[in-house]
């Protein structure tokens, strides 16, 4: 008997999808182009930089055939600015996601439908002060597999941990607006993939609790109205009205 599938992606599935993100490598050896399902990779010629999928970059890193350049947003100064934005500039909202690299116009374009992990948001040319959709997974993977390529890895690890705690606190606090005057809408612009996967259970639990609470309130309101209506009918009978 097949077990029911969990709603949404699990953290392991999110981490797997993250490895399709493009990163920048500096090859140590020559490597000809590879024909992948996503298309051919660029030929590697030391010391010229080249963009590669994260999974392939990690493979070459383990084989000591390439170094991985950390994206600009993973450097300590950028993480500190983002953390300051999260805690001081915008303490109630998430920091904005990186701008779309392709111009969006009124005309339909093939690039309009490109979304993470197929956006170059973690290459060496990515904007420095924006967290991409897979920021948490990429940061943890690079710190584990390529810490020697990341400047000040201990400091970066601490900043990522602080960012994660601040943003998870915001996500937990954002569910309060669901029962307020916000019309049951919680703004999640800028939330990352792993944050969604980890927070889904908590948010769905809160929503289910609010739904049950609203249902019980509605039942109580109807019972109260029925009792009040029945009381009015008995008073009319006592006064001789039928």
């Amino acid at each position: 008997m097949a077990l029911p599938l969990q709603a949404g992606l699990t953290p392991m599935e999110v981490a797997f999808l993250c490895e399709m993100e493009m990163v920048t490598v500096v090859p140590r050896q020559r490597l000809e182009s590879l024909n992948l399902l996503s298309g051919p990779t660029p030929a590697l010629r030391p010391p010229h930089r080249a963009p590669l999928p994260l999974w392939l970059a990690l493979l070459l890193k383990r084989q000591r055939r390439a170094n991985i350049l950390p994206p600009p947003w993973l450097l300590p100064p950028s993480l500190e600015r983002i953390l300051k934005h999260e805690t001081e500039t915008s303490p109630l909202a998430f920091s904005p996601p990186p701008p779309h690299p392709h111009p969006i116009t009124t005309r339909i374009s093939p690039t309009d439908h490109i979304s993470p992990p197929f956006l170059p948001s973690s290459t060496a040319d990515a904007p420095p002060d924006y967290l991409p959709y897979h920021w948490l997974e990429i940061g943890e993977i690079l710190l584990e597999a390529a810490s020697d390529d990341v400047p000040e890895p201990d400091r970066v690890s601490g900043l990522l941990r602080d960012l994660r705690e601040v943003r998870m606190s915001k996500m937990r606090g954002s569910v309060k607006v669901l029962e307020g005057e916000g019309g049951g809408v919680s703004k999640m612009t800028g939330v990352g993939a792993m944050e969604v996967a980890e927070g889904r259970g908590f948010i769905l639990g809160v929503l289910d609790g609010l739904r049950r609470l609203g249902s019980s309130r509605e039942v109580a309101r109807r019972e109260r109205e029925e009792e009040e209506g029945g009381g009015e009918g008995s008073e009319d009978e006592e006064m001789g009205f039928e």
Side-chain angles (χ1 to χ4, degrees):
M1 179 178 179
L3 297 176
L5 294 177
Q6 179 179 347
L9 297 176
T10 65
M12 292 184 62
E13 291 170 338
V14 171
F16 174 78
L17 291 176
C18 162
E19 294 191 0
M20 291 190 288
E21 285 269 1
M22 299 297 292
V23 295
T24 302
V25 302
V26 178
R28 294 183 175 183
Q29 301 176 0
R30 295 170 63 93
L31 181 65
E32 298 302 324
S33 176
L34 301 175
N35 291 320
L36 305 178
L37 292 176
S38 58
T41 64
L44 302 184
R45 298 290 184 269
H48 300 289
R49 300 178 178 182
L52 289 179
L54 177 58
W55 66 267
L56 181 56
L58 293 173
L59 177 62
L60 296 178
K61 174 65 179 179
R62 295 188 186 100
Q63 296 175 350
R64 299 183 179 181
R65 302 173 68 181
N67 292 96
I68 302 176
L69 289 179
W73 57 263
L74 194 58
L75 301 179
S78 296
L79 291 176
E80 289 179 346
R81 288 193 294 268
I82 297 173
L83 182 60
K84 182 177 180 181
H85 184 280
E86 294 273 0
T87 56
E88 299 179 11
T89 305
S90 181
L92 299 179
F94 297 94
S95 57
H100 201 283
H102 306 288
I104 298 178
T105 62
T106 55
R107 294 185 177 182
I108 299 177
S109 173
T111 58
D112 294 345
H113 305 287
I114 300 178
S115 61
F118 304 107
L119 290 175
S121 55
S122 295
T123 61
D125 299 325
D129 295 336
Y130 300 92
L131 292 178
Y133 190 55
H134 291 284
W135 68 275
L136 184 56
E137 309 91 287
I138 291 178
E140 291 181 346
I141 289 174
L142 291 183
L143 286 175
E144 179 181 355
S147 59
D148 56 325
D149 292 335
V150 179
E152 302 180 75
D154 293 337
R155 185 179 171 194
V156 169
S157 178
L159 289 169
L160 288 178
R161 183 173 58 253
D162 293 342
L163 270 172
R164 184 177 188 178
E165 292 176 355
V166 169
R167 289 167 65 90
M168 287 304 294
S169 177
K170 288 184 179 182
M171 180 174 290
R172 289 191 295 266
S174 66
V175 299
K176 295 180 180 179
V177 303
L178 297 176
E179 57 181 350
E181 299 179 356
V185 177
S186 180
K187 189 174 182 181
M188 293 292 182
T189 304
V191 178
M194 188 62 72
E195 294 169 304
V196 172
E198 293 178 342
R200 178 181 288 108
F202 168 74
I203 294 177
L204 291 180
V206 172
L207 290 175
D208 185 61
L210 291 175
R211 180 184 60 80
R212 295 182 180 181
L213 181 61
S215 177
S216 61
R217 287 176 177 175
E218 180 65 19
V219 172
R221 183 185 65 82
R222 292 180 179 178
E223 291 178 351
R224 186 170 58 253
E225 290 178 351
E226 292 177 357
E227 291 177 358
E228 293 175 354
E232 293 176 357
S234 60
E235 292 177 0
D236 292 341
E237 292 177 359
E238 291 177 0
M239 298 176 63
F241 297 104
E242 294 182 358

